[in-house]
Amino acid sequence: LQRMIWPAALVLLLIIALVFRLGLLLYVVYALAGVLLVSRYLTHRWATSLSATRECNTLTAEEGDEVAVIITIENNGNLPIPWVMVEDLLPREALMYTPPRLGVEGKRVQLTHLWPRSQKSLRYQLKCNRRGYYQLGPLVLATGDLFGLHRQFRVLTEPHFLLVMPKVV
């Protein structure tokens, strides 16, 4: 329903401009339609040109160990991407207690931009405070046009699973 508001408003303005012979309003309708189409196209193109990988130094750890996670985001397209919100998801129950079951040092959420054929890395450490089996990821990306008219989300990586065992004494 919400996707149909802009096209319906444009058609209504176009009809009003044609019936009352309002040349300036007709020009505004054409310009607005052009902006909407170009922004939708660019948003789709930016979202489909992104790829990502996640690397962990280990997927089996003991309590007290630290796990390094490196996320690499790559723009495979020929256009620069003005903004990309990157978030590597972690389970809520692993983060909500004090102290958390998995402590996070570094950024697992970042807003960045990418030039054509470039890549950026996101690095963070997980401190394993309690034993358990934790899902790392998936990696979620959001991008959109500069006007805020269109936004696209993509899930780019499969989750990894971290097994934290009790410390052997």
Side-chain angles (χ1 to χ4, degrees), residues 4-39:
M4 297 303 293
I5 291 175
W6 281 106
L10 283 175
V11 168
L12 180 65
L13 283 175
L14 183 64
I15 292 170
I16 291 171
L18 289 174
V19 167
F20 293 108
R21 297 177 189 250
L22 301 172
L24 186 59
L25 183 60
L26 191 62
Y27 175 75
V28 168
V29 169
Y30 286 145
L32 187 57
V35 166
L36 285 172
L37 290 174
V38 168
S39 68

Side-chain angles (χ1 to χ4, degrees), residues 59-128:
L59 291 175
T60 305
E62 290 184 351
E63 287 182 68
D65 289 351
E66 289 194 359
V67 177
V69 180
I70 300 172
I71 306 287
T72 305
I73 306 114
E74 188 172 356
N75 178 5
N76 300 313
N78 296 325
L79 296 174
I81 301 174
W83 70 271
V84 180
M85 174 68 85
V86 182
E87 181 177 6
D88 198 23
L89 300 177
L90 293 176
R92 186 175 149 225
E93 60 272 358
L95 302 173
M96 65 187 235
Y97 298 108
T98 305
R101 294 178 180 184
L102 289 177
V104 179
E105 297 171 11
K107 293 183 179 180
R108 64 179 188 86
V109 179
Q110 186 173 2
L111 180 64
T112 187
H113 69 282
L114 288 164
W115 294 106
R117 306 278 179 208
S118 68
Q119 62 183 21
K120 293 243 175 141
S121 293
L122 181 82
R123 302 163 199 264
Y124 65 93
Q125 299 267 347
L126 294 173
K127 175 101 164 111
C128 304

